[in-house]
Amino acid sequence: MSDLLKQIGQLFIIGFTGEEPSQEFLDFLKEKQISGVILFEENCPSYNKTRENIARIRAACGDNPPFIAIDQEGGRVCRLRGVPAEFRSAEEYGQDGNVDWFRKDYLRSVLLLESIGINLNFAPVCDIFTNPKNTCLAGRCFGKSHREVQPFVEAAVETSKNAGVMSCLKHFPGLGASTIDPHHETATADYEELIWTNRERIPFAAGVKAGADIIMTTHLLLPAMDNTIVTGSKKIVESLIRDALAFDGPVITDDLSMTGAAVLGAIGPRTVAAFNAGHDLLLFDSDFELASRAYNYFCDSLQRGEINEKRLQEAMNRISGIKFKLDSSVLH
C-alpha cells in the first residue's frame, strides 16, 4: 500500500496562478511526485519566461520527467502569443478547407512548443460544431460535419508527432451538440450511441488511428446512454473509448474544478469518481489548493479501500507507457 501511495501523484496534472510557480507549488510537485503541469497564458508572458518556468518545474520533478502541457488550439485558445506559436482558429482553417495551410502553420507552432520544453498539447479539438448556440466551442471546431473535421484532426496528430509533441483528442465523446458550457454547468446532449457511431466517433477514431497519445473527456450528460455524466461514467469510458475506439492509452478528465463536474460531489469525491470511471489522469487547471485537497482525499480513499488497486496499477502502466517518450536528460 505504501508503494502505491507514493505513486498517486502520477495521476495528477495541475496548474498554477501568476507568471511563475511559487516555491510551495514546486515543493508540492517534488514531494508528491506530480505527473505534470499545465500552462496558461498568465504563466507564459514571454517565450524566455516560459522556458525558465519549465526549467524550474523540471528541476522540481527531478528524475520523474513531467508532462509539460498547454492548450495551444489556435485562435482565441492560444496560451503562447505571437508568431510562430500563435496561429488562426480551427474555424478559419475549416472554412478555407486547406489542410496543407493548417499543417504548415501548426508545424511552426508545435516546433516552438517543443523548443521551449512543452511536450504535450491538449489538441486537436475533435468536436463537430452541430449546434450554432454552443458558445464554448465557437471558433474552436474545424467544421459542422465529420467529413470537414476529420482531415484536420489527422493533420494535427501527425504534425504534432513529427515535432516531438504529444497530442490529446478532445472533448470526448463530442461536445458540439450541446448549448451549455461545462465551465459553468453540466453540458447535455441528446444523441444516442447509433448517432455517435456515425457522427461524433469518426474524428476521434481518425485521431486514434493517426497515433494520438491521450483522449480528454468532457463534463457532459448523455441521457440516451447513461444517467451519470461522462466524467463519472464507467460505461461510456469502457464502451466508447476502450471498445468502440480500441484505444488503450491514457484517458484524462477535463478540469475537475469546473462547475460542470459538481454533480459528482465535492472536489475529493468527484476526483475519485472520475478515476473509478476509468480516467487515468486527473486535471486541475490552476487551482493549486483544490488540487492538493483532491490529492489528499484520493490517498485517504485508497487507504479506505474505495479505489481498486488493480485499476490503479492499470492507470500507472498507461501513464508510464507514454512517459517513456519524455527525455528527462534534455533540458530545452
Side-chain angles (χ1 to χ4, degrees):
M1 177 68 75
S2 60
D3 288 342
L4 284 174
L5 282 170
K6 292 177 183 177
Q7 299 178 65
I8 295 302
Q10 285 299 295
L11 304 175
F12 287 75
I13 294 181
I14 66 176
F16 61 94
T17 56
E19 290 193 359
E20 60 184 38
S22 67
Q23 190 58 50
E24 181 186 14
F25 181 83
L26 295 172
D27 290 344
F28 185 76
L29 295 182
K30 181 178 181 179
E31 180 185 348
K32 307 303 183 185
Q33 299 183 42
I34 298 300
S35 196
V37 172
I38 180 171
L39 301 175
F40 283 84
E41 191 169 348
E42 67 175 311
N43 314 135
C44 306
S46 69
Y47 294 162
N48 284 337
K49 185 63 177 178
T50 305
R51 193 196 305 268
E52 290 172 10
N53 286 340
I54 291 170
R56 293 181 67 194
I57 290 165
R58 286 182 183 274
C61 291
D63 295 331
N64 243 330
F67 293 114
I68 306 294
I70 200 166
D71 295 293
Q72 195 76 3
E73 299 175 10
R76 64 186 174 95
V77 185
C78 279
R79 310 310 187 191
L80 278 166
R81 293 294 176 180
V83 177
E86 191 173 358
F87 55 101
R88 295 173 179 85
S89 70
E91 181 183 41
E92 290 179 74
Y93 293 107
Q95 288 175 344
D96 181 78
N98 190 331
V99 179
D100 290 336
W101 177 33
F102 165 72
R103 194 186 295 267
K104 182 179 178 181
D105 288 353
Y106 192 57
L107 178 61
R108 284 199 300 264
S109 181
V110 289
L111 284 173
L112 187 281
L113 300 187
E114 195 278 337
S115 74
I116 63 176
I118 293 167
N119 52 39
L120 170 58
N121 191 15
F122 287 136
V125 170
C126 299
D127 303 298
I128 302 167
F129 198 58
T130 54
N131 188 341
K133 296 180 180 179
N134 189 323
T135 57
C136 177
L137 294 178
R140 299 172 65 191
C141 301
F142 290 106
K144 299 177 181 179
S145 73
H146 66 79
R147 294 179 184 84
E148 294 172 339
V149 175
Q150 177 179 337
F152 288 97
V153 169
E154 292 168 337
V157 172
E158 291 163 1
T159 301
S160 195
K161 184 192 300 184
N162 290 338
V165 175
M166 287 182 280
S167 56
C168 175
L169 309 177
K170 64 184 187 185
H171 305 83
F172 190 87
L175 188 59
S178 177
T179 58
I180 299 170
D181 184 342
H183 290 84
H184 307 304
E185 59 180 298
T186 303
T188 60
D190 61 2
Y191 57 82
E192 57 190 29
E193 188 166 351
L194 180 60
I195 294 173
W196 178 83
T197 299
N198 291 288
R199 191 177 68 187
E200 276 80 6
R201 178 191 65 86
I202 294 172
F204 286 99
V208 169
K209 187 175 181 181
D213 300 281
I214 298 174
I215 291 178
M216 177 186 288
T217 64
T218 186
H219 309 310
L220 173 70
L221 179 65
L222 296 170
M225 294 196 206
D226 201 358
N227 59 6
T228 189
I229 64 171
V230 173
T231 315
S233 175
K234 184 176 181 180
K235 176 182 178 181
I236 289 179
V237 172
E238 288 189 352
S239 66
L240 301 191
I241 296 180
R242 301 306 182 195
D243 296 338
L245 293 185
F247 180 74
D248 195 39
V251 176
I252 187 170
T253 66
D254 206 340
D255 175 21
L256 283 168
S257 66
M258 287 183 187
T259 307
V263 293
L264 294 176
I267 198 65
R270 82 178 72 163
T271 303
V272 171
F275 179 79
N276 284 338
H279 293 86
D280 308 292
L281 287 163
L282 307 163
L283 180 64
F284 291 85
D285 278 357
S286 56
D287 195 324
F288 169 45
E289 191 271 335
L290 271 184
S292 60
R293 279 166 47 195
Y295 172 88
N296 291 332
Y297 187 94
F298 197 100
C299 292
D300 292 343
S301 295
L302 177 62
Q303 293 176 306
R304 290 194 298 264
E306 297 168 4
I307 293 168
N308 184 281
E309 292 187 15
K310 182 179 179 182
R311 161 89 261 273
L312 184 57
Q313 194 58 59
E314 180 184 75
M316 298 296 183
N317 290 342
R318 288 197 178 108
I319 294 165
S320 63
I322 67 167
K323 274 206 165 184
F324 80 92
K325 300 178 183 180
L326 309 180
D327 186 357
S328 60
S329 67
V330 177
L331 288 180
H332 297 274

